[in-house]
């Protein structure tokens, strides 16, 4: 009996020996429960879009709110079937997140049922990933982007999907086009790529030495660059990329020189930002929550789905909120095409104090529809700008509308970023 117990403990040690993450203390627990309150409230509000990232985070954190998790699972199952049946947009990264959320909920992603139809998300993801690779061979670019490719590989690895390890290893080799956005190294893209490749290394025992060597070199390159983005207070990249960076660093600890990263410092810093409302958006909360509980996307297949009690008590903390006031501020708003150099238009605008960038764009459009008209789509991240003056963003051409304050890219979306008096706001058509 004792030998069996020791064997089981040794197995657990092997499963976690690659990791040295950290988790919140009991003193920090009220901040985490507040984060859950905000995330669940937003994700279940009337009109909220189905959100697999929130469900995935709740399951990884082992949150005892079965009613909410069941409702979110039903929503994403119905949405997945609806997208496929009606030919709606369903990118490879979205399919990956939907599949991961089902797996974490102990719901077979190969048998997603809704509206009398059964959908195999793993098979669909295999097809999507094949199309991404084929497009890279033809055009040099994926249909989506390398963040979504990382999610594809991470998910196929976790769910035992079919893909070529050697070709995938080459897919993640260092290249500025893959890991840089607007000239800046993307911690988000790199973190997901690390998680995907660590998954391959830990699950594929028959991998050829050449592929293993390529993956090892890829991971080391990415970790070095991730750590170069670490600031003195522990933030990695920006506040919103830090959660996924914590996951990547914790699962790839064997590659790190001791002392290069202080997990506790990073965790304490992000926790201190929770009462300020920094992570009130459900997507930013969902990306952070697993790391706060020392969990990663590689734990999806080890989630305990046998929790029976609904004993979650959500704490409401006082926060620093941003609400509009009766006072007005003045901002300078510019739209510019930096790809074709076809236009650059600016205007000074008065908006209520506390306004977000999206409201600034609406005011500009009302003032001069010809120069400042724009379109957008709703996403789980909020409004995503698709065109200005009729000039459409195009993934196949790697073009998008970048949001900036002066020359600094914004770390929040148009619906979240609160503008300041005298600020120069820019919406720029550019490439990634």
């Amino acid at each position: 009996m004792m030998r069996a117990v020791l064997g089981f403990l040794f197995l657990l040690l092997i499963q976690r020996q690659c990791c040295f993450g950290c988790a919140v203390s009991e003193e920090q627990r009220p901040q985490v429960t507040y984060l859950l309150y905000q995330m669940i409230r937003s994700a279940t509000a009337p009109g909220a879009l189905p959100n697999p990232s929130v469900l995935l985070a709740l399951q990884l954190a082992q949150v005892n709110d079965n009613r909410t998790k069941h409702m979110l699972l039903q929503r994403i199952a119905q949405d997945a079937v609806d997208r496929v049946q009606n030919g709606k947009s369903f990118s490879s990264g979205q399919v990956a997140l939907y599949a991961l959320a089902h797996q974490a909920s102990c719901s077979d992603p190969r048998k997603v049922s809704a509206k009398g139809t059964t959908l195999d998300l793993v098979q669909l993801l295999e097809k999507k990933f094949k199309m991404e690779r084929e497009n890279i061979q033809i055009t040099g670019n994926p249909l989506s982007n390398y963040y979504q490719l990382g999610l594809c590989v991470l998910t196929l690895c976790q769910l035992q999907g079919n893909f070529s390890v050697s070709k995938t290893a080459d897919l993640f080799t260092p290249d500025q086009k893959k890991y840089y956005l607007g000239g800046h190294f993307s911690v988000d893209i790199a973190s997901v790529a690390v998680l995907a490749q660590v998954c391959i290394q830990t699950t594929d025992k028959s991998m050829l030495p050449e592929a293993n060597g390529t993956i090892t070199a890829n991971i080391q390159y990415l970790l070095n660059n991730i750590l170069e983005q670490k600031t003195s207070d522990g933030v990695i990249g920006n506040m919103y990329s830090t959660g996924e960076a914590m996951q990547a660093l914790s699962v790839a600890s064997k590659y790190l020189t001791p002392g290069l990263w202080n997990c506790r410092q990073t965790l304490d810093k992000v926790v201190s930002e929770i009462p300020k409302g920094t992570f009130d958006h459900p997507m930013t909360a969902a990306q952070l929550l697993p790391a706060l509980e020392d969990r990663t996307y590689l734990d999806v297949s080890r989630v305990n789905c046998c929790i029976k009690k609904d004993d979650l008590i959500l704490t409401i903390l006082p926060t620093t909120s941003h609400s509009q006031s009766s006072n007005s501020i003045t901002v300078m708003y510019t739209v510019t095409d930096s790809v074709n150099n076809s236009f650059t238009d600016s205007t000074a605008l008065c908006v209520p104090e506390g306004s977000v960038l999206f409201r600034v764009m609406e005011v500009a459009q009302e003032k001069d529809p010809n120069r400042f008209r724009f379109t957008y789509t709703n996403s789980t991240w909020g409004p995503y700008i698709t065109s200005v003056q009729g000039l459409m963003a195009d993934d196949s051409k790697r073009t998008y509308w970048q949001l900036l304050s002066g020359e600094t890219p914004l770390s929040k979306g148009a619906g979240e970023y609160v503008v300041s008096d005298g600020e120069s706001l820019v919406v720029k058509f550019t490439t990634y």
Side-chain angles (χ1 to χ4, degrees), residues 97 145-152 154 172 178-182 184-197 222-223 225-227 229-230 235-249 279 283-288 297 381 409-412:
L97 285 172
N145 52 58
Y146 279 89
Y147 182 86
Q148 296 198 45
L149 287 185
L151 286 175
C152 282
L154 170 62
F172 291 114
K178 299 174 182 177
Y179 299 113
Y180 284 76
L181 291 176
H184 298 274
F185 183 79
S186 172
V187 171
D188 305 87
I189 297 173
S191 298
V192 173
V194 168
L195 287 163
Q197 292 175 97
L222 293 170
L223 292 174
N225 280 272
I226 288 172
L227 288 171
Q229 309 305 310
K230 181 174 65 67
V235 173
I236 307 169
N238 59 52
M239 200 64 70
Y240 307 104
S241 60
T242 299
E244 289 185 333
M246 291 175 70
Q247 292 190 44
L249 292 170
F279 300 101
M283 287 298 292
T284 59
Q287 289 191 337
L288 176 64
Y297 295 153
W381 283 99
L410 301 185
S411 57
K412 291 186 176 183

Side-chain angles (χ1 to χ4, degrees), residues 245-257:
M246 291 175 70
Q247 292 190 44
L249 292 170
S250 69
V251 301
S253 58
K254 72 176 185 179
Y255 290 93
L256 301 179
T257 302

Side-chain angles (χ1 to χ4, degrees), residues 100-367:
L100 282 177
H102 272 85
Q103 180 69 22
S105 304
C106 300
S107 173
D108 190 350
R110 295 182 181 273
K111 298 177 181 178
V112 176
S113 297
K115 303 179 179 180
T117 300
T118 300
L119 175 65
D120 186 337
L121 286 175
V122 178
Q123 185 181 69
L124 178 60
L125 185 59
E126 291 169 347
K127 292 179 180 177
K128 294 276 186 179
F129 185 52
K130 181 181 178 182
M131 291 169 62
E132 295 273 16
R133 288 191 291 103
E134 289 174 347
N135 203 69
I136 292 173
Q137 292 173 350
I138 297 170
T139 69
N141 300 315
L143 290 169
S144 57
N145 52 58
Y146 279 89
Y147 182 86
Q148 296 198 45
L149 287 185
L151 286 175
C152 282
V153 175
L154 170 62
T155 304
L156 290 174
C157 174
Q158 290 268 77
L159 305 185
Q160 300 179 337
N162 292 319
F163 65 98
S164 166
V165 170
S166 59
K167 291 180 180 178
T168 300
D170 293 335
L171 189 67
F172 291 114
T173 52
D175 186 327
Q176 186 160 344
K177 184 168 65 175
K178 299 174 182 177
Y179 299 113
Y180 284 76
L181 291 176
H184 298 274
F185 183 79
S186 172
V187 171
D188 305 87
I189 297 173
S191 298
V192 173
V194 168
L195 287 163
Q197 292 175 97
V198 169
C199 180
I200 293 173
Q201 279 196 326
T202 55
T203 58
D204 190 340
K205 304 305 180 183
S206 61
M207 182 168 33
L208 295 175
E210 183 178 355
N212 187 54
T214 300
I215 288 177
T216 296
N218 293 345
I219 293 173
Q220 192 65 68
Y221 164 82
L222 293 170
L223 292 174
N224 291 343
N225 280 272
I226 288 172
L227 288 171
E228 285 182 4
Q229 309 305 310
K230 181 174 65 67
T231 59
S232 59
D233 59 0
V235 173
I236 307 169
N238 59 52
M239 200 64 70
Y240 307 104
S241 60
T242 299
E244 289 185 333
M246 291 175 70
Q247 292 190 44
L249 292 170
S250 69
V251 301
S253 58
K254 72 176 185 179
Y255 290 93
L256 301 179
T257 302
L260 279 182
W261 176 51
N262 184 333
C263 180
R264 176 55 59 181
Q265 179 198 31
T266 298
L267 185 142
D268 289 344
K269 175 60 180 176
V270 294
V271 169
S272 73
E273 291 289 322
I274 294 174
K276 301 176 185 178
T278 302
F279 300 101
D280 279 1
H281 192 286
M283 287 298 292
T284 59
Q287 289 191 337
L288 176 64
L289 183 60
L292 298 183
E293 302 291 0
D294 193 18
R295 292 280 181 155
T296 79
Y297 295 153
L298 300 191
D299 293 314
V300 161
S301 296
R302 294 195 288 268
V303 170
N304 176 16
C305 294
C306 297
I307 298 174
K308 301 295 184 183
K309 297 188 298 180
D310 278 322
D311 58 0
L312 176 64
I313 300 175
L314 297 176
T315 305
I316 304 176
L317 299 177
T319 63
T320 305
S321 61
H322 299 285
S323 58
Q324 292 190 9
S325 71
S326 58
N327 299 325
S328 294
I329 61 173
T330 300
V331 298
M332 180 61 68
Y333 175 61
T334 300
V335 294
T336 182
D337 171 13
S338 69
V339 176
N340 311 296
N341 298 315
S342 62
F343 63 83
T344 296
D345 293 306
S346 299
T347 185
L349 300 169
C350 287
V351 295
E353 185 178 12
S355 294
V356 296
L357 174 56
F358 189 77
R359 180 56 188 151
V360 172
M361 298 178 70
E362 289 180 321
V363 171
Q365 181 173 241
E366 292 165 4
K367 178 181 180 180

Side-chain angles (χ1 to χ4, degrees), residues 23-33 264 267-268 271-272:
V24 291
S25 63
E26 285 306 309
E27 290 76 16
Q28 294 170 320
R29 186 59 56 186
Q31 282 87 342
V32 177
T33 52
R264 176 55 59 181
L267 185 142
D268 289 344
V271 169
S272 73

